PDB file of all heavy atoms in Angstrom:
ATOM      1  N   ALA A  79     -92.432 154.851  -0.612  1.00  0.00           N
ATOM      2  CA  ALA A  79     -93.451 155.050  -1.638  1.00  0.00           C
ATOM      3  C   ALA A  79     -92.945 156.049  -2.674  1.00  0.00           C
ATOM      4  O   ALA A  79     -92.203 156.967  -2.341  1.00  0.00           O
ATOM      5  CB  ALA A  79     -94.727 155.562  -1.003  1.00  0.00           C
ATOM      6  N   GLN A  80     -93.349 155.834  -3.904  1.00  0.00           N
ATOM      7  CA  GLN A  80     -92.966 156.769  -4.956  1.00  0.00           C
ATOM      8  C   GLN A  80     -93.759 158.057  -4.775  1.00  0.00           C
ATOM      9  O   GLN A  80     -94.895 158.046  -4.306  1.00  0.00           O
ATOM     10  CB  GLN A  80     -93.254 156.178  -6.323  1.00  0.00           C
ATOM     11  CG  GLN A  80     -92.351 155.027  -6.680  1.00  0.00           C
ATOM     12  CD  GLN A  80     -92.658 154.495  -8.067  1.00  0.00           C
ATOM     13  OE1 GLN A  80     -93.805 154.386  -8.452  1.00  0.00           O
ATOM     14  NE2 GLN A  80     -91.628 154.160  -8.804  1.00  0.00           N
ATOM     15  N   ALA A  81     -93.164 159.153  -5.160  1.00  0.00           N
ATOM     16  CA  ALA A  81     -93.828 160.445  -5.052  1.00  0.00           C
ATOM     17  C   ALA A  81     -94.992 160.517  -6.028  1.00  0.00           C
ATOM     18  O   ALA A  81     -94.997 159.857  -7.071  1.00  0.00           O
ATOM     19  CB  ALA A  81     -92.829 161.554  -5.342  1.00  0.00           C
ATOM     20  N   ASP A  82     -95.977 161.339  -5.667  1.00  0.00           N
ATOM     21  CA  ASP A  82     -97.101 161.565  -6.567  1.00  0.00           C
ATOM     22  C   ASP A  82     -96.620 162.242  -7.843  1.00  0.00           C
ATOM     23  O   ASP A  82     -95.718 163.076  -7.803  1.00  0.00           O
ATOM     24  CB  ASP A  82     -98.124 162.489  -5.896  1.00  0.00           C
ATOM     25  CG  ASP A  82     -99.084 161.740  -4.988  1.00  0.00           C
ATOM     26  OD1 ASP A  82     -99.154 160.506  -5.078  1.00  0.00           O
ATOM     27  OD2 ASP A  82     -99.777 162.404  -4.203  1.00  0.00           O
ATOM     28  N   PRO A  83     -97.251 161.914  -8.959  1.00  0.00           N
ATOM     29  CA  PRO A  83     -96.919 162.651 -10.179  1.00  0.00           C
ATOM     30  C   PRO A  83     -97.366 164.106 -10.016  1.00  0.00           C
ATOM     31  O   PRO A  83     -98.294 164.402  -9.269  1.00  0.00           O
ATOM     32  CB  PRO A  83     -97.730 161.936 -11.264  1.00  0.00           C
ATOM     33  CG  PRO A  83     -98.734 161.111 -10.557  1.00  0.00           C
ATOM     34  CD  PRO A  83     -98.240 160.876  -9.171  1.00  0.00           C
ATOM     35  N   THR A  84     -96.688 165.004 -10.683  1.00  0.00           N
ATOM     36  CA  THR A  84     -97.026 166.419 -10.569  1.00  0.00           C
ATOM     37  C   THR A  84     -97.430 166.970 -11.926  1.00  0.00           C
ATOM     38  O   THR A  84     -97.225 166.329 -12.957  1.00  0.00           O
ATOM     39  CB  THR A  84     -95.818 167.229 -10.047  1.00  0.00           C
ATOM     40  OG1 THR A  84     -94.717 167.025 -10.935  1.00  0.00           O
ATOM     41  CG2 THR A  84     -95.423 166.797  -8.648  1.00  0.00           C
ATOM     42  N   GLY A  85     -98.007 168.142 -11.899  1.00  0.00           N
ATOM     43  CA  GLY A  85     -98.420 168.774 -13.138  1.00  0.00           C
ATOM     44  C   GLY A  85     -99.831 168.388 -13.529  1.00  0.00           C
ATOM     45  O   GLY A  85    -100.610 167.877 -12.724  1.00  0.00           O
ATOM     46  N   ASP A  86    -100.153 168.625 -14.765  1.00  0.00           N
ATOM     47  CA  ASP A  86    -101.483 168.381 -15.301  1.00  0.00           C
ATOM     48  C   ASP A  86    -101.709 166.883 -15.508  1.00  0.00           C
ATOM     49  O   ASP A  86    -100.935 166.232 -16.213  1.00  0.00           O
ATOM     50  CB  ASP A  86    -101.609 169.122 -16.635  1.00  0.00           C
ATOM     51  CG  ASP A  86    -102.999 169.045 -17.230  1.00  0.00           C
ATOM     52  OD1 ASP A  86    -103.887 168.398 -16.636  1.00  0.00           O
ATOM     53  OD2 ASP A  86    -103.199 169.626 -18.302  1.00  0.00           O
ATOM     54  N   PRO A  87    -102.773 166.317 -14.904  1.00  0.00           N
ATOM     55  CA  PRO A  87    -103.053 164.886 -15.090  1.00  0.00           C
ATOM     56  C   PRO A  87    -103.217 164.487 -16.563  1.00  0.00           C
ATOM     57  O   PRO A  87    -103.017 163.326 -16.903  1.00  0.00           O
ATOM     58  CB  PRO A  87    -104.357 164.668 -14.322  1.00  0.00           C
ATOM     59  CG  PRO A  87    -104.408 165.770 -13.330  1.00  0.00           C
ATOM     60  CD  PRO A  87    -103.720 166.933 -13.971  1.00  0.00           C
ATOM     61  N   GLU A  88    -103.557 165.440 -17.412  1.00  0.00           N
ATOM     62  CA  GLU A  88    -103.691 165.152 -18.849  1.00  0.00           C
ATOM     63  C   GLU A  88    -102.372 164.639 -19.432  1.00  0.00           C
ATOM     64  O   GLU A  88    -102.366 163.915 -20.420  1.00  0.00           O
ATOM     65  CB  GLU A  88    -104.099 166.416 -19.620  1.00  0.00           C
ATOM     66  CG  GLU A  88    -105.462 166.956 -19.268  1.00  0.00           C
ATOM     67  CD  GLU A  88    -106.590 166.317 -20.058  1.00  0.00           C
ATOM     68  OE1 GLU A  88    -106.314 165.595 -21.030  1.00  0.00           O
ATOM     69  OE2 GLU A  88    -107.749 166.557 -19.690  1.00  0.00           O
ATOM     70  N   ASN A  89    -101.251 165.005 -18.786  1.00  0.00           N
ATOM     71  CA  ASN A  89     -99.932 164.627 -19.289  1.00  0.00           C
ATOM     72  C   ASN A  89     -99.330 163.425 -18.567  1.00  0.00           C
ATOM     73  O   ASN A  89     -98.211 163.033 -18.866  1.00  0.00           O
ATOM     74  CB  ASN A  89     -98.975 165.824 -19.178  1.00  0.00           C
ATOM     75  CG  ASN A  89     -99.462 166.999 -19.987  1.00  0.00           C
ATOM     76  OD1 ASN A  89    -100.011 166.834 -21.063  1.00  0.00           O
ATOM     77  ND2 ASN A  89     -99.294 168.187 -19.451  1.00  0.00           N
ATOM     78  N   TRP A  90    -100.040 162.854 -17.597  1.00  0.00           N
ATOM     79  CA  TRP A  90     -99.532 161.704 -16.847  1.00  0.00           C
ATOM     80  C   TRP A  90     -99.654 160.436 -17.691  1.00  0.00           C
ATOM     81  O   TRP A  90    -100.544 160.301 -18.523  1.00  0.00           O
ATOM     82  CB  TRP A  90    -100.316 161.494 -15.559  1.00  0.00           C
ATOM     83  CG  TRP A  90    -100.208 162.584 -14.546  1.00  0.00           C
ATOM     84  CD1 TRP A  90     -99.406 163.690 -14.599  1.00  0.00           C
ATOM     85  CD2 TRP A  90    -100.927 162.676 -13.322  1.00  0.00           C
ATOM     86  NE1 TRP A  90     -99.594 164.459 -13.481  1.00  0.00           N
ATOM     87  CE2 TRP A  90    -100.507 163.862 -12.686  1.00  0.00           C
ATOM     88  CE3 TRP A  90    -101.872 161.878 -12.708  1.00  0.00           C
ATOM     89  CZ2 TRP A  90    -101.018 164.259 -11.450  1.00  0.00           C
ATOM     90  CZ3 TRP A  90    -102.383 162.270 -11.479  1.00  0.00           C
ATOM     91  CH2 TRP A  90    -101.949 163.438 -10.866  1.00  0.00           C
ATOM     92  N   THR A  91     -98.772 159.482 -17.410  1.00  0.00           N
ATOM     93  CA  THR A  91     -98.883 158.176 -18.055  1.00  0.00           C
ATOM     94  C   THR A  91     -99.977 157.378 -17.353  1.00  0.00           C
ATOM     95  O   THR A  91    -100.416 157.736 -16.253  1.00  0.00           O
ATOM     96  CB  THR A  91     -97.564 157.391 -17.960  1.00  0.00           C
ATOM     97  OG1 THR A  91     -97.300 157.100 -16.586  1.00  0.00           O
ATOM     98  CG2 THR A  91     -96.398 158.169 -18.570  1.00  0.00           C
TER      99      THR A  91
END
Side-chain angles (χ1 to χ4, degrees):
Q80 290 181 320
D82 276 345
T84 57
D86 185 359
E88 295 274 349
N89 300 323
W90 295 354
T91 65

